[in-house]
């Protein structure tokens, strides 16, 4: 386990030098299809690119935008930027052109490192006051001049110096530039080892964007400080790319967002044990359910390569039913909680101490409190203080003052509760909480968890409607919906055909029209069933008044639904209507 005593200071140069000194001949970074380069080779590539940045005119404090998917060169570029004293501005690969340009302008970035496939997002860098452009694919200069000669001078860096400005793609609206120091990020990487020790024999497979602080700090820095090796996908993580990668790499550690395991559970696990009536009946018995889950867990671990010992889940709240499955399956999942503003980790549980429904214990070195708790439930706003809390929102002192007080306490905006053993559980976002007609607090996330258990619901969102009503927006599983409608319509269709043979004139026309609208009718019938299902499984105050379908939900990089886009009092376009 690496400690601050090994590094000396919480800075990127100290972190890099320690890893190069201790692990020089070990494999460090690779694409799945390639061969790893060693830590020594990584160091040489960083030196080369840092010199290129310096000679092109990049100075300490300059902002350098970094736009590309996770890769060895992304890591090399980041180290080159930060060890030069410049500030890295990672941009999410799924940002639109407008978002990319807006972030570059706001950060006042004068240099850009961009992957070839994303270059169209910045067609005219000069119009954004960007004077230097480098290609991420090979770390070569595309635009700019070499105005300086000689070696790169020694750059004096303080722990409090800004290392990165990270623009969030949040659930509540416009992106904010979160200013993180060297100490914020390096401190979190060191303290995060409390939840999972990583060593030089570990192998990671990265499937999340490094421009997201969760993947960067936990999925990259924690590996790099311990001499482990990380593999990167060359294409987005689909079934056709991920399964062969898992088979080849056989990772010991991976990071994920809840959606991935939720899809595995709903699309593979549940259908397997509910398809046949006898098996389904046994599956409803807790004893047999645990046995079936244990068998599924063995198969799941084999699918992940057979060596997985830590499957970290973060970025959003985990469905309790899915978490129960992972626990009963003895799948080595871990839970983490935090925000971009906290670099990101605040609390969590390692694979051996997870407890469904809770996040876990507070990370050492961090203070966590529950402010203004409800006298009946104990639920209040989670506030945090520690060396991992951001410096502030870049160029936005007013917004910073709203969340960060003079004593260093950061308001997370999350609602939670701490039990007697210091374990944190989350209830939802304070901004999402709905005030019921009787003054009661309604947490939409709790209702959504129930909705998502329905076999035909892919995802859901509960919002406030008119007159304090509750509206459930659901994205239906269209493939299953079609199968269900066909199944339910079979008997009805037989009766209708018999009626057609005997009917004449207008009756025949009516029957044919009914058949043509059968699918739409079954959809409405299923929506009514979903409403009944959820209302039978929530308390009286949380019952929904109506269920409306949507085509698909817009999401952030961590696969959280952008709630601010779905105000029921505005126009919500139902699925299938254009």
């Amino acid at each position: 386990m690496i400690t601050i005593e090994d590094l000396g200071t919480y800075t990127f140069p100290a972190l890099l030098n320690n890893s190069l000194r201790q692990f020089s001949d070990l494999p460090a970074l690779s694409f799945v299809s390639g061969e790893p380069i060693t830590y020594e080779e990584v160091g040489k590539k960083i030196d080369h690119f840092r010199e290129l940045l310096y000679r092109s005119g990049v100075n300490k404090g300059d902002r350098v935008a970094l736009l590309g998917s996770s890769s060895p060169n992304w890591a090399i570029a980041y180290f080159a930027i930060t060890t030069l004293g410049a500030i890295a501005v990672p941009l999410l690969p799924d940002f639109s052109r407008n978002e990319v340009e807006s972030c570059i302008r706001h950060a006042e970035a004068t240099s850009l490192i961009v992957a070839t496939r994303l270059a169209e997002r910045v067609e005219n860098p000069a119009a954004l006051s960007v004077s230097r452009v480098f290609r991420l694919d090979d770390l070569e200069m595309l635009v700019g001049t070499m105005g300086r000669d000689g070696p790169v001078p020694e750059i004096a860096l303080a722990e409090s110096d800004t290392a990165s400005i990270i623009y969030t793609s949040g659930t509540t609206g416009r992106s904010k530039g979160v200013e993180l120091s060297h100490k914020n990020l390096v401190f979190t990487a060191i303290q995060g080892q409390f939840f999972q020790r990583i060593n030089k024999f570990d192998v990671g497979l990265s499937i999340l964007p490094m421009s997201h602080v969760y993947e960067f700090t936990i999925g990259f820095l924690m590996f790099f400080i311990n001499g482990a090796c990380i593999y990167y996908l060359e294409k987005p993580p689909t079934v056709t790319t991920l399964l062969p990668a898992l088979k080849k790499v056989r990772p010991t550690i991976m990071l994920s967002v809840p959606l991935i395991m939720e899809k595995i559970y709903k699309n593979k696990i549940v259908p397997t044990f509910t398809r046949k009536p006898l098996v389904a009946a046994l599956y409803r018995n807790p004893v047999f359910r645990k046995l079936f889950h244990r068998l599924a867990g063995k198969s799941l671990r084999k699918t992940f390569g057979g060596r997985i010992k830590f499957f970290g889940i973060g970025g959003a709240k985990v469905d309790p039913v899915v978490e129960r499955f992972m626990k009963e399956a003895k799948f080595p999942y871990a839970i983490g909680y935090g925000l971009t503003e906290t670099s990101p980790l605040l609390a969590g549980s390692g694979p051996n101490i997870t407890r469904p429904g809770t996040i876990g214990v507070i990370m050492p070195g961090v203070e966590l409190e529950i402010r203004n708790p409800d006298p009946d439930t104990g639920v209040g706003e989670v506030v945090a203080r520690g060396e991992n809390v951001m410096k502030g929102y870049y160029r936005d002192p007013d917004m910073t003052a709203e969340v960060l007080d003079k004593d260093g306490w950061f308001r997370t905006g999350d609602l939670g509760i701490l039990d007697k053993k210091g374990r944190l559980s989350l209830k939802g976002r304070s901004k999402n909480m709905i005030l019921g007609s009787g003054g009661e607090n309604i947490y939409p996330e709790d209702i959504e968890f129930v909705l998502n258990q329905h076999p035909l619901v892919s995802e859901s969102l509960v919002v406030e409607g008119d007159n304090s009503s509750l509206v459930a927006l659901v994205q239906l599983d269209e493939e299953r919906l079609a199968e269900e409608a066909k199944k339910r319509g079979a008997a009805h269709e037989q009766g209708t055909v018999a009626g057609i043979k005997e009917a004449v004139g207008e009756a025949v026309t009516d029957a044919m029209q009914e058949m043509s609208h059968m699918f739409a009718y079954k959809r409405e019938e299923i929506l009514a069933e979903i409403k009944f299902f959820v209302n039978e499984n929530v308390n009286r105050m949380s019952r929904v008044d109506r269920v409306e379908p949507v085509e698909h939900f817009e999401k952030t990089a961590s696969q959280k639904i952008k709630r601010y886009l779905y105000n029921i009092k505005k126009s919500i376009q139902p699925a299938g209507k254009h």
Side-chain angles (χ1 to χ4, degrees):
M1 176 176 169
I2 299 298
T3 68
I4 185 58
E5 282 71 28
D6 295 297
L7 272 60
T9 63
Y10 290 106
T11 63
F12 278 96
L15 184 156
L16 176 63
N17 291 335
N18 183 69
S19 292
L20 298 183
R21 183 173 59 252
Q22 290 201 40
F23 312 117
S24 62
D25 59 342
L26 295 179
L29 306 172
S30 180
F31 279 120
V32 170
S33 63
E35 291 297 324
I37 56 175
T38 65
Y39 277 81
E40 182 179 14
E41 290 170 319
V42 169
K44 290 179 180 178
K45 288 178 179 290
I46 292 170
D47 287 343
H48 176 78
F49 191 54
R50 180 171 54 232
E51 182 179 343
L52 182 60
L53 292 175
Y54 171 75
R55 291 180 62 197
S56 69
V58 176
N59 295 309
K60 180 181 179 180
D62 286 354
R63 273 75 65 202
V64 181
L66 180 52
L67 177 60
S69 300
S70 299
S71 68
N73 277 357
W74 198 104
I76 289 164
Y78 191 99
F79 268 125
I81 295 166
T82 54
T83 55
L84 187 61
I87 299 169
V89 184
L91 302 176
L92 289 163
D94 62 351
F95 270 176
S96 67
R97 180 182 301 178
N98 287 339
E99 287 174 312
V100 168
E101 292 181 350
S102 175
C103 292
I104 290 175
R105 284 196 185 95
H106 185 265
E108 300 173 311
T110 54
S111 301
L112 169 67
I113 305 168
V114 59
T116 299
R117 73 176 188 86
L118 297 176
E120 62 181 16
R121 308 275 176 91
V122 195
E123 288 187 337
N124 188 2
L128 302 173
S129 299
V130 171
S131 56
R132 289 170 289 271
V133 180
F134 304 87
R135 186 169 49 220
L136 183 61
D137 309 52
D138 55 12
L139 299 177
E140 293 294 332
M141 176 181 277
L142 299 176
V143 177
T145 57
M146 298 295 186
R148 287 195 288 218
D149 294 320
V152 180
E154 192 73 27
I155 307 294
L157 286 174
E159 295 178 337
S160 59
D161 285 342
T162 300
S164 194
I165 299 171
I166 300 179
Y167 285 87
T168 65
S169 177
T171 61
T172 57
R174 69 182 179 87
S175 295
K176 299 167 289 190
V178 178
E179 194 172 356
L180 299 176
S181 69
H182 284 251
K183 188 169 189 177
N184 288 155
L185 293 161
V186 179
F187 170 86
T188 306
I190 291 176
Q191 297 302 104
Q193 297 172 103
F194 169 78
F195 299 108
Q196 178 64 36
R197 300 289 176 86
I198 298 177
N199 60 56
K200 62 184 180 181
F201 301 108
D202 279 315
V203 177
L205 177 62
S206 174
I207 61 174
L208 301 176
M210 293 175 75
S211 41
H212 196 290
V213 71
Y214 166 47
E215 176 67 18
F216 176 73
T217 308
I218 312 303
F220 171 64
L221 287 185
M222 275 182 62
F223 278 77
F224 202 86
I225 64 175
N226 285 289
C229 182
I230 313 170
Y231 286 82
Y232 296 96
L233 296 172
E234 291 167 282
K235 295 181 180 179
T238 61
V239 172
T240 54
T241 58
L242 187 55
L243 291 182
L246 289 168
K247 184 177 181 180
K248 179 179 179 180
V249 175
R250 300 182 64 228
T252 59
I253 298 176
M254 282 185 68
L255 294 187
S256 175
V257 291
L259 184 63
I260 292 176
M261 193 55 70
E262 287 170 8
K263 284 188 175 295
I264 291 173
Y265 175 73
K266 291 191 70 172
N267 296 339
K268 298 294 182 183
I269 305 301
V270 173
T272 298
F273 297 128
T274 57
R275 190 173 293 118
K276 296 180 179 180
L278 177 58
V279 176
L282 292 173
Y283 189 58
R284 287 191 290 270
N285 182 297
V287 175
F288 284 101
R289 185 196 69 224
K290 292 177 182 179
L291 177 61
F292 290 162
H293 283 174
R294 187 76 55 83
L295 294 172
K298 291 181 179 179
S299 177
L300 194 57
R301 287 193 295 275
K302 185 177 180 181
T303 300
F304 276 85
R307 297 193 301 178
I308 193 78
K309 67 178 185 181
F310 180 95
F311 188 82
I313 300 177
K317 195 175 177 182
V318 183
D319 187 322
V321 174
V322 177
E323 188 175 359
R324 183 186 68 183
F325 157 70
M326 292 188 289
K327 192 72 175 178
E328 293 177 349
K330 293 191 177 299
F331 190 73
Y333 78 99
I335 298 292
Y337 162 68
L339 303 90
T340 303
E341 290 89 339
T342 58
S343 311
L345 203 53
L346 288 174
S349 300
N352 296 325
I353 59 171
T354 49
R355 183 179 180 183
T358 67
I359 297 297
V361 297
I362 302 166
M363 185 173 75
V366 172
E367 296 176 79
L368 217 62
E369 291 183 359
I370 304 298
R371 291 275 174 89
N372 303 315
D374 183 288
D376 296 323
T377 64
V379 175
E381 184 178 13
V382 180
V383 296
R385 182 168 65 178
E387 301 294 351
N388 55 338
V389 173
M390 67 171 181
K391 297 175 68 173
Y393 294 119
Y394 184 62
R395 296 175 57 198
D396 202 332
D398 292 338
M399 186 176 290
T400 300
E402 289 179 10
V403 298
L404 198 59
D405 69 20
K406 58 182 177 61
D407 295 319
W409 286 100
F410 171 69
R411 297 182 58 187
T412 67
D414 289 317
L415 296 172
I417 187 171
L418 285 169
D419 66 16
K420 294 179 180 179
K421 294 186 177 181
R423 290 182 297 234
L424 175 69
S425 298
L426 295 180
K427 293 297 293 183
R429 294 285 293 171
S430 58
K431 291 181 179 179
N432 299 342
M433 189 182 72
I434 298 170
L435 193 64
S437 57
E440 61 277 355
N441 295 335
I442 299 171
Y443 304 105
E445 292 90 346
D446 290 346
I447 307 172
E448 290 156 13
F449 283 142
V450 176
L451 278 164
N452 292 343
Q453 303 316 309
H454 193 284
L456 297 180
V457 174
S458 178
E459 292 184 87
S460 64
L461 191 71
V462 173
V463 297
E464 184 177 7
D466 296 326
N467 302 317
S468 298
S469 63
L470 292 178
V471 180
L473 306 177
V474 297
Q475 180 179 327
L476 299 171
D477 187 321
E478 293 296 335
E479 185 176 336
R480 288 190 183 179
L481 179 64
E483 291 176 0
E484 186 69 15
K486 184 178 180 181
K487 186 192 307 179
R488 297 185 187 192
H492 187 284
E493 184 176 329
Q494 290 174 359
T496 303
V497 171
I500 290 174
K501 290 179 179 178
E502 299 174 0
V504 291
E506 190 174 323
V508 173
T509 303
D510 290 342
M512 295 304 293
Q513 287 178 342
E514 182 178 348
M515 290 177 65
S516 68
H517 293 297
M518 183 63 69
F519 184 79
Y521 170 77
K522 291 302 175 185
R523 177 190 289 269
E524 293 303 316
E525 181 182 286
I526 287 168
L527 290 175
E529 285 188 11
I530 291 171
K531 178 182 174 182
F532 177 80
F533 170 82
V534 66
N535 287 344
E536 282 290 295
N537 290 283
V538 297
N539 60 47
R540 179 181 56 81
M541 297 175 295
S542 299
R543 291 173 183 167
V544 301
D545 296 283
R546 68 180 191 271
V547 177
E548 294 186 5
V550 295
E551 289 281 4
H552 68 278
F553 289 112
E554 294 289 332
K555 296 178 182 176
T556 68
S558 56
Q559 297 301 300
K560 288 182 283 191
I561 297 171
K562 295 181 178 179
R563 287 182 177 269
Y564 67 93
L565 295 177
Y566 299 94
N567 184 343
I568 199 64
K569 295 176 182 178
K570 297 178 182 178
S571 175
I572 296 290
Q573 188 176 46
K577 295 183 180 180
H578 302 280

